[in-house]
Amino acid sequence: MAESMIAHAKSVVKGACLTALIWSSVAIAQTTPDPTRPPDAIVNGSGGVIQSSGPVLQSVLISPHSQMAIISGQTVKLHQKFGDFRLVHISETEVTLQNGKVQEVLKLFPNIKKQPVNKSAR
């Protein structure tokens, strides 16, 4: 009888630990940003697309045979037009649009700033 009570108590403790582990995993997952989610500039709170003040670079696709970017939901190949601008340059993190002498650089991660490493700190 005592052995069955101990076995039952161990089972309850294991179940409680498993439940706590699952809930903590759910809490961590809810705070991790979705890397596939479009930038906040083009998504409203309900998940619908809204207009931003200008074009937004959403994705860059580079292969040996083609280069293209998704700008504000529109797929634009290198040298094609996007509105009044022409896509003149594509890199892994940004594209350049040009209209005459006016150039506009769109960054894939506009909120990330690169900073040089201080070599004397090594």
Side-chain angles (χ1 to χ4, degrees):
M1 177 87 166
E3 290 177 9
S4 67
M5 289 177 65
I6 292 172
H8 177 70
K10 286 182 180 179
S11 175
V12 169
V13 170
K14 284 181 185 178
C17 290
L18 182 59
T19 302
L21 179 64
I22 289 170
W23 280 110
S24 66
S25 298
V26 169
I28 291 170
Q30 288 177 348
T31 60
T32 304
D34 180 1
T36 63
R37 180 183 169 165
D40 290 336
I42 59 169
V43 175
N44 64 21
S46 63
V49 176
I50 60 173
Q51 297 297 323
S52 68
S53 61
V56 176
L57 179 61
Q58 294 173 278
S59 184
V60 174
L61 305 147
I62 300 174
S63 76
H65 305 289
S66 126
Q67 294 182 8
M68 63 184 78
I70 299 176
I71 304 171
S72 299
Q74 181 180 338
T75 301
V76 184
K77 291 183 179 180
L78 186 62
H79 304 298
Q80 278 188 332
K81 290 198 86 170
F82 175 78
D84 294 334
F85 287 81
R86 184 169 303 279
L87 181 58
V88 295
H89 176 73
I90 298 177
S91 76
E92 291 85 4
T93 58
E94 65 184 33
V95 299
T96 304
L97 299 171
Q98 186 168 352
N99 182 2
K101 293 183 179 182
V102 177
Q103 283 193 340
E104 186 170 352
V105 176
L106 305 178
K107 295 185 181 286
L108 193 56
F109 306 104
N111 296 329
I112 296 177
K113 307 288 185 225
K114 288 185 179 180
Q115 296 180 356
V117 175
N118 186 354
K119 292 182 181 180
S120 63
R122 291 182 184 190

